[in-house]
Amino acid sequence: MTTTAAARAERLTRARKAQAERGVDALLLGPSADLAYLTGYRPPALERLTMLVLPTHGDARLVVPALEAPLARDHLGELDVEVAAWPETDDPVRLVGDALAAAGAARGRLGVGDQLWSGFLLRLQGALGAASFLPASAVTRQLRMRKDPEEVQALARVAAAIDQVVEGLAGLRWAGRTERDLYRDIEQAIRDTHDEFGFAVVASGPNAASPHHTATGRVIQPGDPVVVDIGGRLDGYCSDTTRTLVVDEPPPGFRELYALLHAAQLAGCAAVRPGVTAAAVDAACRDPITAAGHDELFLHRTGHGIGLDEHEEPYIVAGNDEPLEPGMAFSIEPGIYPRGHYGARIEDIVVCTDDGGRRLNTTSRDLRIVS
Amino acid sequence: MTTTAAARAERLTRARKAQAERGVDALLLGPSADLAYLTGYRPPALERLTMLVLPTHGDARLVVPALEAPLARDHLGELDVEVAAWPETDDPVRLVGDALAAAGAARGRLGVGDQLWSGFLLRLQGALGAASFLPASAVTRQLRMRKDPEEVQALARVAAAIDQVVEGLAGLRWAGRTERDLYRDIEQAIRDTHDEFGFAVVASGPNAASPHHTATGRVIQPGDPVVVDIGGRLDGYCSDTTRTLVVDEPPPGFRELYALLHAAQLAGCAAVRPGVTAAAVDAACRDPITAAGHDELFLHRTGHGIGLDEHEEPYIVAGNDEPLEPGMAFSIEPGIYPRGHYGARIEDIVVCTDDGGRRLNTTSRDLRIVS
């Protein structure tokens, strides 16, 4: 995270304002993108509770295991957040209660991080019987969904990094090697270009019909389509792109299917502009596939928001009437999956700008022939 | 996960028996080690709900996003668990409610996975107003804490894998390179020996006083102690070991400090046997350090259980009066951290056997000199 202390302080202020508007008395955030967004600190989620207590009125406090207090202080820097370190035999939930009580919020409406482990929420509910709990995203989604220019730059940088990996796919050997071999090569390429590896779907032949396929020992054959869906993290922000390859010569009917998919993805990207709803973008992308009679083969929503989390709001899905706004960033990733045969998907990250959608992934969307 | 379908079926039976004994009407498990332990399926935790509904009496059902249903079915295999796939615009919480209602458990006591995201728990609580919720670990900890012989073998295999990485540390160049450079080398070595990289603490000089230090651009110098705490995953099970190195010549006083730490770690390992409490093992390890006047420099508990999760029960910590039983596996990892100077830690995974503790990590615990 390269965000300055001043930018983080301003985010804390905006969070408190949003809390006040929504009648939330405090946020309780564990290790998560929400915590990273507000404080720059993102420890792994583990069994020792780390929790930012952010009262709408009153002092912010980070409850942190004593052994991680030095690390937390380094990350917080100048930020006006007090560190409350708890030794191993102490009860961190009591410290959270103390911080809330000090701010007069212990009986209030508390927004708990959506990804906080339930074991902690149950303990908080047990200890704070007079409080009520709601998801913190009621507050944080509004802040995180619209990326500021610095965040869009970070997303563009990490998109360029994953595009570099995509450009390298043609240089790999495919035929005769297993999905797992290719996974290893791609994992290494992601590591070489990102701070952290995220994930890699390498789904060949009939396996390509399973959108979240895990790479297996299947040997890739000439004539196989291969769906490659990959991502990593750079400076805290995530990449995510999908390209479909074919080894040597596509199987019968595949070129036509791919042309349809390509047209659908273009239509989805073209639909992006401020004021258009997420659902309308999903429909724009889905309609060509439905018109061709393949609606049941497009198994999933059109896309998901992306930022400090790989998947976040806004979701590009039927029923989501959220109007797009400049700064929203999300995937457009239609797929067609004829089960038992093969599958195909094309995915780019797109940012909504004042006058349309800007693709952050810029590699060719043409069908890629490899060998 | 190499567990057979028969073994998993038997675990489901044991879980239901434990539920009945504890008055729990159903378990609700998201992606987690609990789910992997019972079903062999471990998808990543994401915003689309995957949830095993395991009623004490009645049919088990796995609620799963439609696009992951093929993957889930492959993993479940012969296991007697029905798959309830939900399309993108459906509400999976309703499907969970249906599964509970079918088993007559919708108003019962429900054990929710400790690591389930709170956003899901809040929705479940909203939808199932007549139910009460408790942590699933009330049931699953008893099952998972005592490893069966097959699990102990898996832990021994992954311990051997990380020991191989430890043996390679002396072959790396340390002086003049950054913590991050070394992190990269070690990360690669863990990948080469495990299915998945877990983590690597590479903490040099004064940074070694921060137990969970994140590798930085600090250049490692002759005279630096370096704490290396590393782990990964193989066949679903985790490794975790720590060794302390010194580049060239230790700083004044360090050999004595290390000798004390070494003695404490030996004492901790020697204290392990059935019937001894976790707290007593912590005390056995801590006492030598306290006797030398350094109690405040041993910042953390002595250890944590390990298995399908890197950290799980039993925790080796003051106040935990759980008596050890054969099959329990945990770390013994005392550390001494004089802030501003340096730090040291030694960690092995130990399994409680009928007649004592068996170290799964078997590399030398002597101070390692590297260059």
Side-chain angles (χ1 to χ4, degrees):
Chain A
M1 295 277 296
T2 52
T3 325
T4 63
R8 289 179 284 139
E10 200 251 317
R11 287 176 179 178
L12 285 177
T13 302
R14 280 195 289 134
R16 284 179 155 128
K17 185 158 169 286
Q19 288 167 226
E21 284 165 9
R22 284 167 187 75
V24 172
D25 298 296
L27 292 186
L28 302 179
L29 302 176
S32 60
D34 280 348
L35 182 67
Y37 180 83
L38 293 175
T39 68
Y41 183 45
R42 191 167 194 173
L46 283 171
E47 77 286 359
R48 291 183 181 99
L49 183 64
T50 295
M51 179 160 275
L52 175 69
V53 181
L54 182 67
T56 308
H57 308 285
D59 295 334
R61 205 174 284 179
L62 185 72
V63 173
V64 67
L67 78 166
E68 292 174 358
L71 207 60
R73 286 201 180 87
D74 282 354
H75 277 90
L76 294 178
E78 308 278 282
L79 205 60
D80 189 17
V81 173
E82 187 191 336
V83 171
W86 59 275
E88 295 279 30
T89 52
D90 244 25
D91 177 13
V93 168
R94 193 181 51 75
L95 293 187
V96 171
D98 291 349
L100 287 169
R107 298 163 165 271
R109 294 182 74 225
L110 308 178
V112 293
D114 294 52
Q115 297 180 14
L116 180 73
W117 287 0
S118 288
F120 292 125
L121 174 56
L122 289 170
R123 287 168 60 189
L124 288 163
Q125 289 177 328
L128 299 162
S132 63
F133 295 84
L134 71 161
S137 57
V139 171
T140 57
R141 70 190 293 277
Q142 293 300 331
L143 305 177
R144 284 179 47 206
M145 208 160 40
R146 283 184 298 270
K147 272 68 182 176
D148 65 29
E150 191 193 346
E151 290 185 282
V152 172
Q153 280 172 28
L155 282 168
R157 277 199 307 276
V158 72
I162 203 72
D163 282 356
Q164 206 181 319
V165 177
V166 166
E167 295 299 7
L169 295 178
L172 302 176
R173 194 163 55 80
W174 294 79
R177 298 177 72 212
T178 67
E179 289 175 351
R180 243 184 246 120
D181 289 339
L182 269 302
Y183 176 98
R184 285 270 177 169
D185 287 354
I186 292 168
E187 183 186 29
Q188 188 57 51
I190 295 174
R191 281 184 206 294
D192 290 344
T193 47
H194 292 68
D195 294 333
E196 275 174 51
F197 170 72
F199 62 91
V201 172
V202 181
S204 68
N207 291 342
S210 174
H212 283 183
H213 178 69
T214 309
T216 66
R218 181 179 185 279
V219 176
I220 297 170
Q221 311 285 345
D224 277 350
V226 190
V227 170
V228 178
D229 185 350
I230 53 182
R233 197 184 292 268
L234 185 64
D235 295 336
Y237 284 80
C238 297
S239 61
D240 191 358
T241 192
T242 307
R243 290 295 182 262
T244 299
L245 327 173
V246 169
V247 182
D248 291 349
E249 189 59 37
F254 191 79
R255 276 192 195 280
E256 295 70 18
L257 190 94
Y258 190 85
L260 172 64
L261 178 70
H262 192 165
Q265 208 264 357
L266 292 173
C269 293
V272 175
R273 81 182 62 85
V276 169
T277 66
V281 173
D282 180 75
C285 189
R286 195 169 302 274
D287 285 348
I289 297 173
T290 302
H294 291 322
D295 45 327
E296 296 204 342
L297 302 183
F298 183 1
L299 298 173
H300 52 71
R301 66 192 176 205
T302 290
H304 54 81
I306 192 164
L308 291 166
D309 272 332
E310 187 188 307
H311 291 185
E312 58 181 50
E313 305 221 39
Y315 293 102
I316 311 301
V317 61
N320 183 1
D321 294 327
E322 180 90 39
L324 298 183
E325 296 180 45
M328 288 184 178
F330 43 83
S331 66
I332 302 278
E333 50 172 313
I336 305 181
Y337 310 98
R339 190 139 182 76
H341 298 280
Y342 42 61
R345 181 162 69 252
I346 305 173
E347 173 182 23
D348 293 315
I349 302 304
V350 174
V351 180
C352 183
T353 70
D354 288 336
D355 50 6
R358 173 187 164 204
R359 275 172 70 217
L360 298 184
N361 299 105
T362 58
T363 62
S364 166
R365 287 169 284 188
D366 292 342
L367 184 61
R368 286 155 187 263
I369 308 293
V370 295
S371 53
Chain B
M1 297 278 297
T2 52
T3 324
T4 63
R8 289 178 284 138
E10 199 251 317
R11 287 175 179 178
L12 284 177
T13 303
R14 280 195 289 134
R16 283 179 155 128
K17 185 159 169 283
Q19 288 167 224
E21 283 165 11
R22 283 166 186 77
V24 173
D25 298 295
L27 292 185
L28 302 178
L29 302 177
S32 60
D34 280 348
L35 182 67
Y37 180 83
L38 293 175
T39 69
Y41 184 46
R42 191 166 194 175
L46 282 171
E47 76 287 358
R48 289 185 182 98
L49 183 63
T50 294
M51 178 161 276
L52 176 69
V53 181
L54 182 67
T56 307
H57 308 286
D59 294 334
R61 205 175 283 179
L62 186 72
V63 173
V64 66
L67 78 166
E68 291 173 359
L71 207 59
R73 286 201 182 88
D74 282 354
H75 278 90
L76 294 179
E78 308 280 283
L79 204 62
D80 190 18
V81 174
E82 185 191 339
V83 172
W86 59 275
E88 295 278 29
T89 52
D90 244 26
D91 177 12
V93 168
R94 192 181 51 75
L95 293 186
V96 171
D98 291 349
L100 288 168
R107 296 161 167 273
R109 294 182 75 224
L110 307 178
V112 293
D114 294 53
Q115 297 181 13
L116 180 74
W117 288 1
S118 288
F120 293 125
L121 175 56
L122 289 169
R123 286 169 60 191
L124 289 164
Q125 290 176 330
L128 299 162
S132 65
F133 294 84
L134 72 161
S137 57
V139 170
T140 57
R141 70 189 291 278
Q142 293 299 332
L143 304 177
R144 283 179 47 206
M145 209 160 40
R146 283 185 297 270
K147 272 69 182 175
D148 65 30
E150 191 193 344
E151 290 185 283
V152 172
Q153 280 174 27
L155 282 168
R157 278 197 306 276
V158 70
I162 203 73
D163 282 356
Q164 206 181 320
V165 177
V166 166
E167 295 300 6
L169 295 178
L172 302 176
R173 194 163 55 79
W174 294 79
R177 299 179 71 213
T178 66
E179 290 175 349
R180 243 185 246 122
D181 289 339
L182 268 304
Y183 176 97
R184 285 270 177 170
D185 288 353
I186 292 168
E187 184 186 30
Q188 188 58 52
I190 295 174
R191 280 182 207 297
D192 290 344
T193 48
H194 292 67
D195 293 332
E196 277 175 48
F197 170 72
F199 63 92
V201 172
V202 180
S204 68
N207 291 343
S210 173
H212 283 182
H213 178 69
T214 308
T216 67
R218 181 179 185 277
V219 176
I220 297 170
Q221 310 285 344
D224 277 350
V226 189
V227 170
V228 178
D229 185 351
I230 55 182
R233 196 184 293 268
L234 185 65
D235 294 337
Y237 284 79
C238 297
S239 60
D240 190 357
T241 190
T242 308
R243 291 295 181 261
T244 299
L245 326 174
V246 169
V247 183
D248 291 350
E249 191 57 38
F254 191 79
R255 274 190 195 281
E256 295 71 16
L257 189 93
Y258 190 85
L260 171 64
L261 178 70
H262 192 164
Q265 209 264 355
L266 292 174
C269 293
V272 175
R273 83 181 60 84
V276 170
T277 66
V281 173
D282 180 76
C285 189
R286 196 170 301 275
D287 284 349
I289 297 173
T290 303
H294 291 322
D295 47 325
E296 298 204 342
L297 302 183
F298 182 3
L299 299 173
H300 52 73
R301 66 190 176 205
T302 289
H304 55 81
I306 191 164
L308 291 167
D309 272 332
E310 187 187 307
H311 291 185
E312 57 181 51
E313 305 220 38
Y315 294 101
I316 311 301
V317 61
N320 183 0
D321 294 326
E322 180 89 39
L324 298 184
E325 296 180 44
M328 289 184 177
F330 44 83
S331 67
I332 302 278
E333 50 172 315
I336 306 182
Y337 310 98
R339 192 141 180 74
H341 299 279
Y342 42 62
R345 181 163 68 253
I346 304 174
E347 174 183 23
D348 292 315
I349 302 304
V350 174
V351 180
C352 183
T353 70
D354 288 336
D355 51 3
R358 171 188 164 203
R359 275 172 70 216
L360 298 184
N361 299 105
T362 57
T363 63
S364 165
R365 287 170 285 189
D366 292 342
L367 185 60
R368 286 155 187 264
I369 308 293
V370 293
S371 53

